Amino acid sequence: MLVVMRHGATADEVDRVVQVIGELGYDARPMPGAQRTAIGVVGNDGRVDSSRLAALPGVVQIIHVTQPYKQVSREWRPESTIVTIAPGVSFGGDEVPIIAGPCSVESEEQIVEAARAARDAGAAALRGGAFKPRSSPYAFQGLGRKGLDLLAVARQETGLPIVTEAMDDEGAHLVAEYADCIQIGARNMQNYSLLKTVGRIGKPVLLKRGMAATITDLLLSAEYILSEGNEQVILCERGVRTFDPATRNMFDLTAIPTVHQMSHLPIIADPSHGTGIRDRVTPMARAALAAGADGIIVEMHPHPDNALSDGAQSLYPDELTSLIKELRAVATAIGRSVTQTGTTGARSGTQ
Ligand code: PEP
Ligand code: MN
């Protein structure tokens, strides 16, 4: 439920509403906005009796949020949320950042070469997994902590912020020491204890859609993170499993405008996992941006033929350069722009 205050409501009036919400046994989340201050009521699992609140001074409206996901919904917050993972790299506004890099961190040479290629192509952030959730226990599992150290070296070399995956609660704290944005992968979208942990850690989170998750499932998973007090969540469409083996997944572009209608959170698109085939990545990245994606995350490897994971869907560096050029044209056509960080040298690491 949302308690909407009149424009210009006093701090005392807001405090009184917060106090009464507490007396009713719920948590109050005041949200000052440009147009109005609203106070969210959380902790209820059903309809709250709002009669006491409606009568308080300064209150103009009570909105009962109808969806099961509350804080994530557009009803809760009409204006789009902007999530900033590093200075100048924000998701959800007019600018669209590109995140690029290999599926996995493999060696210092590989990740630094990839980071330089990503930066030179115009990417605003570097991706790369140190902890890899693989379908087979015999496949390359990632370098773990060593991989995080190598990502820190790549960031130091290029200035690109890092997006990297955490697979479990313990790993999340370690990943948070290095990452600018913590990725929760498709296989962990419904790992509720991990969601709560990254909610408490408070760093930006990239939450990928599960392989068989509905959009409502995705939003409910995001709600776990927001309910722990972390509103910096970027959603990601990465394709879902269907009956058709022609591509690795069915890349659901309709999810992008649908999420925008249902939620104020930004949503980006991953055409690499969405298609699984290198040649499909560029056209689907263009389409995702045209559909309104707030960012694109794409796999690029300096030598895809030697990649330890997902080489078949990884772009060559020159393909990334061409793609980002094309994305700039698409962005212009829809009144947006691709983020240009202008980083050409090192910045101090934030490890
Ligand atoms: C990845 O980003 O490399 C990855 C494992 O993605 P997903 O969780 O979407 O399969
Ligand atoms: Mn991958």
Side-chain angles (χ1 to χ4, degrees):
M1 192 177 77
L2 276 176
V3 181
V4 183
M5 305 300 290
R6 71 174 162 78
H7 188 70
T10 66
D12 281 353
E13 287 170 339
V14 172
D15 287 350
R16 178 79 186 120
V17 171
V18 169
Q19 186 195 338
V20 172
I21 291 170
E23 286 169 12
L24 291 170
Y26 308 116
D27 288 334
R29 297 270 163 88
M31 296 178 285
Q35 300 301 323
R36 58 170 202 186
T37 289
I39 302 157
V41 179
V42 294
N44 58 303
D45 191 22
R47 205 176 162 89
V48 173
D49 177 8
S50 55
S51 50
R52 237 186 110 189
L53 292 164
L56 292 174
V59 173
V60 285
Q61 195 188 2
I62 303 283
I63 299 175
H64 292 277
V65 178
T66 45
Q67 285 84 6
Y69 48 88
K70 306 278 177 209
Q71 300 183 57
V72 157
S73 72
R74 273 258 180 225
E75 271 176 300
W76 188 270
R77 179 181 297 152
E79 62 273 13
S80 296
T81 289
I82 295 181
V83 178
T84 300
I85 67 165
V89 185
S90 298
F91 298 82
D94 288 340
E95 290 196 354
V96 181
I98 313 299
I99 306 166
C103 180
S104 306
V105 181
E106 300 169 5
S107 67
E108 177 165 342
E109 196 187 11
Q110 174 250 14
I111 195 64
V112 170
E113 195 179 346
R116 290 201 178 113
R119 179 198 60 195
D120 294 348
L126 175 68
R127 63 147 291 146
F131 296 94
K132 293 304 302 178
R134 304 304 302 282
S135 297
S136 163
Y138 307 117
F140 176 59
Q141 304 285 310
L143 298 180
R145 180 191 280 267
K146 171 98 193 317
L148 296 175
D149 284 327
L150 298 182
L151 283 166
V153 172
R155 174 173 53 201
Q156 186 70 33
E157 285 291 317
T158 60
L160 293 180
I162 292 166
V163 180
T164 193
E165 179 160 358
M167 280 174 49
D168 49 43
D169 290 354
E170 201 188 326
H173 289 98
L174 182 61
V175 167
E177 290 175 30
Y178 293 81
D180 297 282
C181 179
I182 305 171
Q183 176 174 324
I184 304 296
R187 292 161 189 77
N188 268 317
M189 190 204 82
Q190 287 177 312
N191 180 339
Y192 299 117
S193 91
L194 180 58
L195 296 174
K196 286 189 202 168
T197 298
V198 295
R200 286 194 286 268
I201 286 173
K203 277 213 159 180
V205 175
L206 175 62
L207 178 64
K208 300 187 86 175
R209 181 179 182 179
M211 291 181 204
T214 64
I215 293 171
T216 296
D217 292 336
L218 173 64
L219 296 180
L220 281 168
S221 288
E223 186 80 12
Y224 269 87
I225 303 172
L226 270 77
S227 71
E228 294 294 333
N230 183 359
E231 299 182 347
Q232 301 179 80
V233 177
I234 304 162
L235 304 170
C236 180
E237 168 56 42
R238 48 78 74 209
V240 291
R241 280 268 167 93
T242 65
F243 49 84
D244 192 342
T247 52
R248 183 175 177 184
N249 289 295
M250 181 82 82
F251 192 38
D252 179 10
L253 287 186
T254 315
I256 294 163
T258 305
V259 163
H260 279 149
Q261 187 250 316
M262 295 164 81
S263 174
H264 54 83
L265 293 177
I267 176 159
I268 70 169
D270 174 352
S272 304
H273 295 86
T275 64
I277 306 165
R278 181 178 304 123
D279 289 352
R280 308 289 187 277
V281 172
T282 290
M284 295 318 291
R286 293 189 300 235
L289 183 53
D294 297 304
I296 303 288
I297 181 166
V298 69
E299 287 185 341
M300 177 274 296
H301 194 290
H303 308 284
D305 298 345
N306 302 330
L308 295 182
S309 61
D310 285 350
Q313 67 192 30
S314 297
L315 297 181
Y316 286 90
D318 62 330
E319 291 177 311
L320 179 68
T321 304
S322 307
L323 169 61
I324 295 181
K325 250 184 227 149
E326 293 172 15
L327 292 177
R328 290 193 199 290
V330 175
T332 303
I334 58 169
R336 301 182 89 174
S337 60
V338 170
T339 303
Q340 243 162 333
T341 55
T343 44
T344 48
R347 81 174 160 97
S348 55
T350 55
Q351 182 194 319

